[in-house]
């Protein structure tokens, strides 16, 4: 018997996950999305996997362009995570007006300079996985590494700090 979707969602919501911003620079604009399904796959060669909605625009653009940037967000980026998780969002640059960012050298994707870490990535392949795809990303560079920054986490459907306290408005 299949597992109830609401029960499945509630069960996985108990797992605290880091929150990332994936950005793709195409010839027209910058596309970005919040992701929390990210995992390390391999150290040699350095690979990560990112879960994206299969029929979503970010997956489509990533497949076309073939490269992206991935920033692991800091606790101070709760508003940024919410903005990029919303449907019908404008250009990534417009959502980052008050946030320090630069471009990754290889992909040209936006990276937040105050994130925990940023990865400049090349798409190895997309792997179908139900209603999502797993983007297998080869790491080409690490343009940001802030080892003292506090992480942004997602737990039980909310953004929280490393002590599991819900984030308030700044």
């Amino acid at each position: 018997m299949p597992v109830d979707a609401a029960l499945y969602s509630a069960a996985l919501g108990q797992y605290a996950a880091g929150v990332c911003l994936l950005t793709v620079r195409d010839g027209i604009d910058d596309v970005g999305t919040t992701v929390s399904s990210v995992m390390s796959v391999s150290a040699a060669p350095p690979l990560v996997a990112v879960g994206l909605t299969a029929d979503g625009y970010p997956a489509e653009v990533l497949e076309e362009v073939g490269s992206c940037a991935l920033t692991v967000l800091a606790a101070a980026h709760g508003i940024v995570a919410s903005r990029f998780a919303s449907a019908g969002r404008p250009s990534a640059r417009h959502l980052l007006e008050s946030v320090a960012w630069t471009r990754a050298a290889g992909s040209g994707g936006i990276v937040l300079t105050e994130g925990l870490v940023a990865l400049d990535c090349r798409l190895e392949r997309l792997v179908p996985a139900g209603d999502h795809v797993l983007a297998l990303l080869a790491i080409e560079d690490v343009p940001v590494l802030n080892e003292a920054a506090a992480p942004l986490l997602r737990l039980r459907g909310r953004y929280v700090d490393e002590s599991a306290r819900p984030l308030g408005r700044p």
Side-chain angles (χ1 to χ4, degrees), residues 8-135:
Y8 172 76
S9 182
L12 290 186
Q14 299 299 310
Y15 178 71
V19 182
C20 298
L21 175 63
L22 181 137
T23 60
V24 179
R25 183 179 193 181
D26 71 5
I28 301 167
D29 207 350
D30 291 282
V31 174
T33 189
T34 302
V35 294
S36 57
S37 296
V38 177
M39 67 178 244
S40 172
V41 174
S42 170
L47 298 169
V48 297
V50 176
L52 298 170
T53 304
D55 61 357
Y57 189 60
E60 178 184 329
V61 174
L62 176 58
E63 186 172 31
E64 274 180 30
V65 173
S67 61
C68 65
L70 188 66
T71 302
V72 179
L73 299 179
H77 294 130
I79 299 278
V80 170
S82 293
R83 288 177 183 164
F84 280 92
S86 301
R89 54 198 170 268
S91 165
R93 291 186 313 274
H94 296 296
L95 297 175
L96 296 170
E97 289 176 357
S98 61
V99 179
W101 61 273
T102 189
R103 293 204 179 270
S107 67
I110 292 172
V111 295
L112 306 190
T113 57
E114 295 174 1
L116 271 70
V117 67
L119 305 173
D120 197 6
C121 308
R122 178 180 39 79
L123 179 64
E124 283 285 315
R125 68 181 165 274
L126 292 178
V127 179
D131 61 356
H132 279 62
V133 292
L134 293 177

